[in-house]
Amino acid sequence: MAVTALKEYIGVPRDSIEHFGGKQIVYASWDHHLLFASSLMMCLPIDMPFGEMVDGPLSALVAPDPDSAALDWKKVEWMKDNKPFTPDFSKSLAENGIGHKDQIRFHTPGLNSLLKVA
């Protein structure tokens, strides 16, 4: 059934950064780790250092994976916008170019216990 609007519809996004009080949503996904069905979502301060995100919330979120104990964050291969990305762990998320609702992916060569590779 078709719908006809009686007046112009103006959508108001409720998830814009202005509604998060100095924080932003950041998505992270661990490539080739099928324990997680989708990206992990974190609500983080914009000025949080990348290393603090890794040592804190990201490490806690990936802890249930059997490979997490062997994870060496210094050997992780990072992707942002589907391109290789080398973060500066001492700089903030914003300084690393990570904005509201951005997704970062990370790959850990040799740690793929849940993905059977032939």
Side-chain angles (χ1 to χ4, degrees), residues 54-55 70-78 86-87 89 107-108:
V54 168
D55 292 339
L71 207 161
D72 181 352
W73 290 105
K74 292 180 172 98
K75 294 181 180 176
V76 167
E77 297 171 358
W78 297 93
T86 304
F89 279 58
H107 177 70
T108 51

Side-chain angles (χ1 to χ4, degrees), residues 19-85:
H19 299 272
F20 284 84
K23 295 185 177 183
Q24 65 183 5
I25 298 294
V26 177
Y27 298 97
S29 56
W30 191 355
D31 289 353
H32 307 295
H33 280 75
L34 303 177
L35 181 65
F36 306 107
S38 63
S39 296
L40 305 165
M41 184 179 83
M42 300 171 282
C43 186
L44 307 170
I46 296 166
D47 59 353
M48 175 181 265
F50 191 89
E52 191 176 314
M53 175 199 67
V54 168
D55 292 339
L58 188 55
S59 290
L61 288 168
V62 301
D65 190 283
D67 282 338
S68 67
L71 207 161
D72 181 352
W73 290 105
K74 292 180 172 98
K75 294 181 180 176
V76 167
E77 297 171 358
W78 297 93
M79 300 278 288
K80 182 180 172 297
D81 299 326
N82 289 322
K83 296 177 188 138
F85 164 65

